[in-house]
Amino acid sequence: MTRIDRSEQELEELLQSAAKAGPDPSDALLARVMADADAVLAERSADSAMPVGSVPTSASGGWLNRLLGGLGGWPAVAGLATATIAGVWIGYAQPASLGGVAGGLLAGETAYDLGDLLPDYDSVLAGG
């Protein structure tokens, strides 16, 4: 029991020594930090200032830029395209290991092949 109390006392002393205030920054350092902050603020406000009557770039970019912005930008669209291509590939290739999974989900002995699910040329010509 004394070991636990002693380690807690050491911890308290360590935390108290860490909580003591360190030296204050010099006035020259604070002046340099504030000058740098003012320069960055001036640069940002100059970039964001738009002439009167100008259209924001998000609205003038066209429907494709608005669509990409709504989806999350190019990285999100790349992920969606990758998932789409992977889904088409897996659906077309029909891996053998997926047959066992799908076989347990389907009731009965009915098995479908890719040709059963795609329309053939005769049904396209017949309009059905």
Side-chain angles (χ1 to χ4, degrees), residues 33-50:
V33 168
M34 291 306 293
D36 187 34
D38 289 338
V40 170
L41 181 63
E43 181 181 323
R44 286 188 181 175
S45 64
D47 289 343
S48 66
M50 294 183 357

Side-chain angles (χ1 to χ4, degrees), residues 5-125:
D5 292 337
R6 193 164 122 189
S7 65
E8 287 179 9
Q9 181 64 27
E10 290 172 357
L11 179 62
E12 285 295 323
E13 291 173 2
L14 180 66
L15 291 175
Q16 286 177 359
S17 66
K20 291 181 182 175
D24 292 332
S26 67
D27 291 336
L29 175 65
L30 291 177
R32 287 193 312 253
V33 168
M34 291 306 293
D36 187 34
D38 289 338
V40 170
L41 181 63
E43 181 181 323
R44 286 188 181 175
S45 64
D47 289 343
S48 66
M50 294 183 357
V52 175
S54 66
V55 179
T57 57
S58 62
S60 66
W63 66 271
L64 182 61
N65 282 340
R66 288 193 303 268
L67 177 68
L68 289 175
L71 291 174
W74 282 111
V77 172
L80 288 171
T82 303
T84 301
I85 296 298
V88 169
W89 181 25
I90 291 171
Y92 183 75
Q94 294 182 358
S97 61
L98 291 180
V101 174
L105 297 176
L106 295 174
E109 296 294 323
T110 306
Y112 293 104
D113 192 21
L114 184 62
D116 297 333
L117 301 175
L118 295 176
D120 56 350
Y121 189 67
D122 293 331
S123 65
V124 171
L125 287 179

